[in-house]
Amino acid sequence: MASLPDVWRRREGLRALVWLSPWLAGVAIFFVYPLLSTVYFSFHRYDMYTLEFAGLDNYRYLFQDPRVLTSAKNTLWLVIVLVPTTVLFSLALAQLVVRLKAGAGLFRTIFYLPSLVPMAAGTITFVFLMNPSTGPWNQFLALFGIQGPDWFGDPAWSKPSLTLLSLWSCGQLVVIFLAALLDVPRHLYEAAAIDGAGPWRQFRSVTLPTLAPVLMFALVTNVIYALQYFTQAMIASRVASGSTDSPGSSFSPGYPDESLLTLPQWLFQVGFRDYSMGYACVLALLLFATSMIFTLILLRQFRRAEEAS
């Protein structure tokens, strides 16, 4: 016969499961089941109509597909360049707003407004603004004797142009950093100033350690966002190339010269344009594994930094 404490613990466990059941059901329906289905379909040739077992053929083709390497390089570039640039720029803007003694509310609004623009509309507008012939940005540079490049038409400038687009629309991240900076205890800065610490030393010894969890959140979420980068690159390629979705259109994502081809775009092309769903599932699993690896690396580095401090 079970003792009273055992019965009590069992009831508490059942009660916890009842409260967790909506979350568990959501995870099972929207994560576990799709993940298992993706693994299952990755071993088949599936064109949305017929299903044929293919063994490891889809996985073998992954190492033979030249566009996988191209799209992986472009996606990795976004992770290595776009993510740190966006995070550091957002932190710098937040620091600027915190230090302003007048007009802080105005600048806070100005920095946040671009993030309210719908993603598709903002990308289209940005491409037209940076059009080398008719866009005002190159005309503005010409006033200073600078010959502006073909931003979204030159493979060497297409990804940096997407980085500028990301910096323009980083208002949400600025607000997150701003809230974190305002929560830093003022007495820590006062103590550091009394000890003779300058602005840079205060930033390193007070601001960064306090912001560490927020920085970790920003890095992890932005790395996952970069690995899933799709909409802006697809729209920028289409608008810059002048292609439409009309019947007979032969637009292939990645213009110019596949410099904006990312893994999610290639997955979309393979799955929903070429109807090779089995191979698209392999690409989806590759993206999932890459996201997990980057997240685990960042979490491990964060723990090491915490232990060192």
Side-chain angles (χ1 to χ4, degrees):
M1 184 175 180
S3 62
L4 188 60
D6 291 338
V7 174
W8 183 81
R9 279 196 295 268
R10 192 175 303 163
R11 287 181 179 178
E12 287 297 313
L14 289 174
R15 187 179 300 174
L17 283 176
V18 169
W19 285 105
L20 287 172
S21 58
W23 181 84
L24 294 173
V27 170
I29 295 171
F30 297 109
F31 178 75
V32 177
Y33 173 71
L35 180 60
L36 294 178
S37 299
T38 302
V39 174
Y40 173 77
F41 286 123
S42 69
F43 294 102
H44 294 77
R45 294 187 186 92
Y46 181 44
D47 60 359
M48 305 291 287
Y49 298 100
T50 59
L51 186 66
E52 178 187 354
F53 183 73
L56 296 175
D57 288 352
N58 290 326
Y59 289 89
R60 293 191 189 100
Y61 185 67
L62 179 69
F63 298 97
Q64 302 171 8
D65 186 358
R67 288 197 170 184
V68 168
L69 182 60
T70 301
S71 59
K73 286 181 179 178
N74 292 333
T75 305
L76 186 61
W77 190 97
L78 294 175
V79 172
I80 294 175
V81 178
L82 184 144
V83 171
T85 304
T86 304
V87 170
L88 292 176
F89 183 73
S90 302
L91 179 57
L93 288 182
Q95 281 274 82
L96 176 64
V97 173
V98 166
R99 292 180 178 275
L100 287 176
K101 295 182 179 179
L106 174 63
F107 282 99
R108 192 180 309 171
T109 304
I110 292 174
F111 293 150
Y112 184 71
L113 277 177
S115 64
L116 299 178
V117 178
M119 197 178 295
T123 305
I124 293 172
T125 303
F126 207 78
V127 173
F128 278 113
L129 287 175
M130 302 184 76
N131 186 290
S133 351
T134 60
W137 180 242
N138 276 9
Q139 295 178 10
F140 173 75
L141 293 178
L143 297 176
F144 302 93
I146 301 174
Q147 179 66 36
D150 186 358
W151 296 96
F152 287 98
D154 186 348
W157 284 95
S158 56
K159 287 191 286 293
S161 300
L162 284 182
T163 304
L164 292 176
L165 173 60
S166 177
L167 297 182
W168 175 70
S169 58
C170 67
Q172 290 184 347
L173 194 54
V174 172
V175 171
I176 292 173
F177 279 131
L178 183 60
L181 287 170
L182 291 175
D183 280 343
V184 178
R186 306 308 304 174
H187 68 270
L188 296 179
Y189 290 114
E190 294 171 0
I194 292 174
D195 289 339
W200 173 243
R201 184 65 181 177
Q202 291 181 26
F203 178 77
R204 283 182 53 196
S205 303
V206 177
T207 306
L208 280 183
T210 309
L211 291 185
V214 180
L215 278 172
M216 189 66 210
F217 168 80
L219 285 173
V220 170
T221 54
N222 277 271
V223 164
I224 295 174
Y225 168 75
L227 290 172
Q228 298 175 349
Y229 205 84
F230 177 86
T231 305
Q232 295 95 321
M234 177 69 82
I235 293 176
S237 295
R238 187 178 291 278
V239 174
S241 65
S243 299
T244 62
D245 240 342
S246 57
S249 173
S250 59
F251 172 76
S252 181
Y255 177 88
D257 295 338
E258 299 184 349
S259 62
L260 293 185
L261 180 66
T262 60
L263 270 175
Q265 287 186 82
W266 185 231
L267 188 157
F268 174 82
Q269 178 73 21
V270 168
F272 297 98
R273 294 291 175 89
D274 301 338
Y275 298 105
S276 181
M277 276 295 175
Y279 182 52
C281 287
V282 175
L283 295 175
L285 290 173
L286 174 64
L287 268 176
F288 175 73
T290 306
S291 299
M292 289 295 294
I293 291 170
F294 271 105
T295 302
L296 291 174
I297 290 174
L298 288 173
L299 290 175
R300 187 175 180 182
Q301 293 299 322
F302 175 66
R303 289 197 191 96
R304 285 184 176 178
E306 277 192 329
E307 291 172 359
S309 59

